[in-house]
């Protein structure tokens, strides 16, 4: 993967869209995250050209989650499949324009397993 736009700082924040290394719109593996301590794994498959990685930068102990625990900064992350930011204004990016009568269809599969 290549980063289209990188927002990374010394405190390990991520809010990046990555360009997937693919030449077609077939469903393919975009990302895999592993947790060796628990043996959990998530794989993301998509037909989209990009994936956005975000590391819960704005959590600030104000959101209560499971078992009344406060969620802290960087205690979570997302893997969101998408097209590229600012695509309508960038002629070299895959188009995001949907004309009247056209149908938008993309597929994303999240596969959660243990290893």
């Amino acid at each position: 993967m290549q980063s289209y736009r990188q927002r990374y700082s010394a405190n390990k924040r991520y809010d990046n869209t990555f360009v997937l290394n693919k030449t077609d719109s077939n469903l393919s593996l975009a990302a895999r995250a592993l947790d060796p301590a628990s043996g959990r794994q998530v794989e993301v498959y998509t037909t989209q050209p990009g994936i956005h990685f975000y590391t819960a930068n704005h959590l600030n102990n104000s959101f209560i989650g499971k078992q009344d625990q406060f969620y802290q900064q960087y205690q979570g992350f997302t893997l969101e499949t998408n097209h590229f930011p600012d695509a309508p204004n960038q002629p070299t990016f895959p188009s995001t324009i949907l004309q009247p009568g056209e149908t938008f269809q993309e597929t994303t599969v999240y596969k959660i397993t243990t290893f």
Side-chain angles (χ1 to χ4, degrees), residues 29-62:
L29 180 65
R32 177 181 295 123
L34 308 168
D35 178 15
S38 69
R40 292 177 293 183
Q41 170 178 283
V42 61
E43 293 178 331
V44 183
Y45 296 83
T46 189
T47 57
Q48 298 261 34
I51 190 164
H52 195 85
F53 179 53
Y54 174 72
T55 55
N57 307 340
H58 295 97
L59 290 179
N60 60 4
N61 288 331
S62 64

Side-chain angles (χ1 to χ4, degrees), residues 70-87:
F70 286 95
Y71 290 154
Q72 298 177 30
Q73 195 172 37
Y74 315 125
Q75 281 191 316
F77 67 91
T78 64
L79 294 166
E80 305 166 4
T81 63
N82 60 4
H83 276 70
F84 309 141
D86 198 34

Side-chain angles (χ1 to χ4, degrees), residues 2-113:
Q2 299 174 345
S3 177
Y4 157 65
R5 176 181 59 179
Q6 187 170 2
R7 290 185 191 165
Y8 172 75
S9 64
N11 58 7
K12 305 209 188 286
R13 296 178 199 200
Y14 286 89
D15 191 359
N16 302 31
T17 293
F18 289 88
V19 176
L20 299 177
N21 186 18
K22 56 192 297 180
T23 58
D24 57 38
S25 60
N26 292 331
L27 188 67
S28 57
L29 180 65
R32 177 181 295 123
L34 308 168
D35 178 15
S38 69
R40 292 177 293 183
Q41 170 178 283
V42 61
E43 293 178 331
V44 183
Y45 296 83
T46 189
T47 57
Q48 298 261 34
I51 190 164
H52 195 85
F53 179 53
Y54 174 72
T55 55
N57 307 340
H58 295 97
L59 290 179
N60 60 4
N61 288 331
S62 64
F63 182 78
I64 299 175
K66 287 185 174 184
Q67 300 173 348
D68 294 325
Q69 297 294 311
F70 286 95
Y71 290 154
Q72 298 177 30
Q73 195 172 37
Y74 315 125
Q75 281 191 316
F77 67 91
T78 64
L79 294 166
E80 305 166 4
T81 63
N82 60 4
H83 276 70
F84 309 141
D86 198 34
N89 300 308
Q90 303 299 326
T92 60
F93 289 2
S95 178
T96 57
I97 297 172
L98 189 65
Q99 298 295 336
E102 292 181 337
T103 301
F104 176 82
Q105 182 174 336
E106 297 286 352
T107 301
T108 297
V109 175
Y110 292 89
K111 182 179 176 184
I112 301 168
T113 59

